[in-house]
Amino acid sequence: MSDDMPHQVGSRRRRREIREARERARAERERQAAEAPSRRVPFEQAIGAPGAASGEVASTDRRAPADPEPSRTADPVEVVSDPESAASPVSPDEAVLGPEEHVLEEHVEHDADGTPLLITSSSYGRGYQTVTPLDTGASREILTRRRERRRRRNLALGLVLGGFAALLVIVAVVFNAVFGGLLSGPEDYETQAGDTVTFEVNPGEGWEVVGRRLAEQGIIASQEALRDALRDADDLGVLQAGEFEVREEMPAADAVSALTPDREAQGVVWVNAGWRIDEVFSAVADATGIPEADFREAAEDPADFGLPEEAETLEGYLAVGEYRFSVEEDPEPTEILQAMVDRTFEEFEDAGITDEDEQWRAVIIASLITGEANHSEPDDYRVIASAIENRLDPDNTETGGLLQIDAAVNYGLGLSGDLHFPESERLNPENEYNTYVHEGLPPGPIAAPTPGTLEAAVDPAETDYYYWVTVNVETGETRFNETYAEHLEDVAVFNDYCDDNPGVCSPAEEEAAEAEVEEGE
């Protein structure tokens, strides 16, 4: 019986098996070398170490003979340049040591010349390494596989990050579309910018039309910002026709101030299209500092100003436009009113109306057009004049000679154009201006006409229309119809527009349209 301990006997047996495996591996490599040209590179030659020229290969076994396990403090080194052998997934060691004891590890180092070397665990067994220059096909294949794995990994990571970023953008866009206006309010410029330009307010234009034009020209950032500025204005002046100096870009509040200057300081008065005589007197008194009662007293006899005997007041003859007076010269009320009347007669002359009776008829029809038309579409003036002439025909089958114009009824009742007369007044014969009861023209003008409506009154278009309705206050779109049934369809369109745009339509417009639809039903 041997004196060796059991673990010593096993150790010798294992070393013997390792040696036998190495011999078999060496014989196999020699056989492969005989069949094909060798591409092996000694380790010293690969790294440029001393002894490389002589082809020496250093292999040092530092394991102590008495140790039961080989020491791992300094692994022996072998150089195998055949990449096919080095990269082989199955080696003789695996058959002897088992796959759990043969772990293939690889990394890249560089020799003294900077040449990259692939360092892998050797097939000889534990503690040996294979050094392969990276100019071999197998090495490139390994690196190619590595690069492909990195490329796929980076591509997948990029797709994930890109998808997440796209999702964030979509969420931000949807959030801004749904909640942006609620959180930040309407778009508006913070400061004034650009050159000073001239902006013209046309006769009869209101804030909605002017706001749309300002936004279209880029003077204000949005029409919604102007609406907010109008609501927030503490002392809102009167919007009047004329030319105003504004900046190319300016906050909506500044635009409101620019279009409503201090008229008293300028000694300027504006008469807007559709203004009634009381509004003119009030504006002139504010601009000149003369009491309003003085203007009423001066206007008591219209004949003193050259009006026909049918005229009971100066209504309709105080022309639209701008008037400048020297406050320091203390002008007389009669002088100021005469200047306004003279301009109306000049407009008669420009329109070719010289007969006094024709002038009277024209100024009444022009005042009705002014009260009914959307002044952002002056081309509609002649069409409305045509419809009025068609209604005045007593033999027409649509209105039977009745004009049925709400603005005239309101004038007779002393109601503002922003109000709708009560339904109880629709058939009231005591109102001389009730065009639902009295045929023909009303007794006189109802407001200050414009040169355009005067020209339309004497030169109406030739149509078969009897009805009209503005279906979009902002754009001024007006539709004309030959029958009442068609007209009611367009009135319904207008009602829908008012429902979709709260605050845009005046109460009078909404109430009149709703009443008309109910009556038609």
Side-chain angles (χ1 to χ4, degrees), residues 83-142:
E84 295 180 1
S85 174
S88 175
V90 180
S91 68
D93 285 354
E94 288 181 341
V96 176
L97 303 177
E100 71 281 357
E101 296 187 33
H102 178 73
V103 180
L104 183 63
E105 297 180 355
E106 58 183 30
H107 64 278
V108 176
E109 295 183 0
H110 294 79
D111 64 10
D113 296 330
T115 303
L117 304 173
L118 179 66
I119 310 299
T120 63
S121 298
S122 171
S123 60
Y124 276 127
R126 181 175 309 183
Y128 289 85
Q129 292 180 316
T130 298
V131 180
T132 308
L134 293 183
D135 58 351
T136 62
S139 300
R140 287 193 296 270
E141 181 180 352
I142 292 173

Side-chain angles (χ1 to χ4, degrees), residues 142-450:
I142 292 173
L143 293 180
T144 300
R145 288 199 300 269
R146 286 180 172 178
R147 285 195 295 269
E148 182 63 23
R149 288 196 297 270
R150 285 197 300 269
R151 189 189 69 81
R152 288 196 297 266
R153 182 172 63 251
N154 293 339
L155 178 61
L157 180 60
L159 291 175
V160 171
L161 293 178
F164 183 70
L167 180 61
L168 289 179
V169 171
I170 294 174
V171 171
V173 170
V174 173
F175 183 86
N176 184 68
V178 176
F179 302 104
L182 297 177
L183 298 179
S184 62
E187 182 181 1
D188 195 6
Y189 294 129
E190 294 184 359
T191 60
Q192 296 187 18
D195 298 331
T196 299
V197 297
T198 300
F199 180 83
E200 183 177 3
V201 177
N202 299 314
E205 287 184 333
W207 281 113
E208 279 298 320
V209 175
V210 169
R212 172 171 54 83
R213 291 177 50 220
L214 287 170
E216 289 174 352
Q217 297 181 29
I219 296 174
I220 60 174
S222 67
Q223 193 170 0
E224 291 75 14
L226 184 72
R227 291 174 183 152
D228 283 358
L230 291 172
R231 284 193 293 267
D232 296 339
D234 295 331
D235 186 16
L236 182 62
V238 178
L239 179 63
Q240 300 178 359
E243 295 183 348
F244 301 87
E245 290 187 351
V246 297
R247 298 288 292 277
E248 288 182 324
E249 293 182 0
M250 59 196 312
D254 292 353
V256 171
S257 299
L259 298 182
T260 55
D262 185 354
R263 293 169 296 154
E264 183 177 355
Q266 296 182 11
V268 177
V269 62
W270 291 85
V271 176
N272 280 346
W275 271 14
R276 297 176 184 174
I277 191 171
D278 291 341
E279 294 173 291
V280 176
F281 288 160
S282 176
V284 177
D286 290 344
T288 62
I290 301 173
E292 186 176 329
D294 292 356
F295 288 99
R296 296 186 182 278
E297 182 179 353
E300 285 183 353
D301 188 357
D304 293 342
F305 296 89
L307 270 63
E309 61 180 0
E310 292 91 345
E312 298 180 358
T313 69
L314 296 182
E315 190 75 87
Y317 282 82
L318 301 177
V320 168
E322 178 190 82
Y323 299 90
R324 294 181 180 272
F325 304 99
S326 175
V327 179
E328 296 179 356
E329 295 180 1
D330 194 20
E332 294 292 331
T334 302
E335 178 185 353
I336 296 174
L337 296 178
Q338 187 65 62
M340 296 179 176
V341 173
D342 289 345
R343 185 176 294 185
T344 298
F345 281 100
E346 290 174 3
E347 294 172 357
F348 285 153
E349 184 176 351
D350 292 340
I353 314 172
T354 57
D355 183 77
E356 186 177 83
D357 292 338
E358 291 181 2
Q359 292 175 349
W360 178 246
R361 186 177 190 274
V363 76
I364 294 176
I365 294 177
S367 72
L368 295 174
I369 298 172
T370 304
E372 287 288 308
N374 186 303
H375 296 282
S376 63
E377 295 292 337
D379 291 342
D380 290 340
Y381 292 162
R382 295 182 66 241
V383 184
I384 295 177
S386 172
I388 289 176
E389 293 291 354
N390 291 339
R391 288 187 180 187
L392 289 174
D393 181 359
D395 297 327
N396 84 78
T397 58
E398 287 295 325
T399 67
L402 296 172
L403 288 179
Q404 298 179 342
I405 293 178
D406 291 357
V409 179
N410 275 345
Y411 182 83
L413 294 173
L415 297 177
S416 167
D418 292 335
L419 300 175
H420 178 56
F421 61 83
E423 282 302 305
S424 59
E425 294 291 338
R426 182 177 293 273
L427 301 179
N428 181 6
E430 295 181 3
N431 182 355
E432 294 182 314
Y433 286 81
N434 189 343
T435 53
Y436 284 89
V437 176
H438 304 291
E439 296 182 12
L441 293 172
I446 64 171
T450 69

Side-chain angles (χ1 to χ4, degrees), residues 19-77:
R19 285 195 298 272
E20 292 174 355
R22 291 173 181 167
E23 292 296 331
R24 288 196 300 273
R26 184 177 295 107
E28 177 64 21
R29 283 195 297 275
E30 290 175 354
R31 183 188 66 77
Q32 292 177 355
E35 295 177 355
S38 174
R39 294 184 295 165
R40 296 176 181 174
V41 179
F43 180 80
E44 289 82 354
Q45 181 179 346
I47 66 175
S54 61
E56 297 178 0
V57 178
S59 177
T60 305
D61 188 351
R62 298 183 181 180
R63 292 174 296 177
D67 291 342
E69 289 290 336
S71 173
R72 304 191 184 189
T73 58
D75 293 338
V77 178

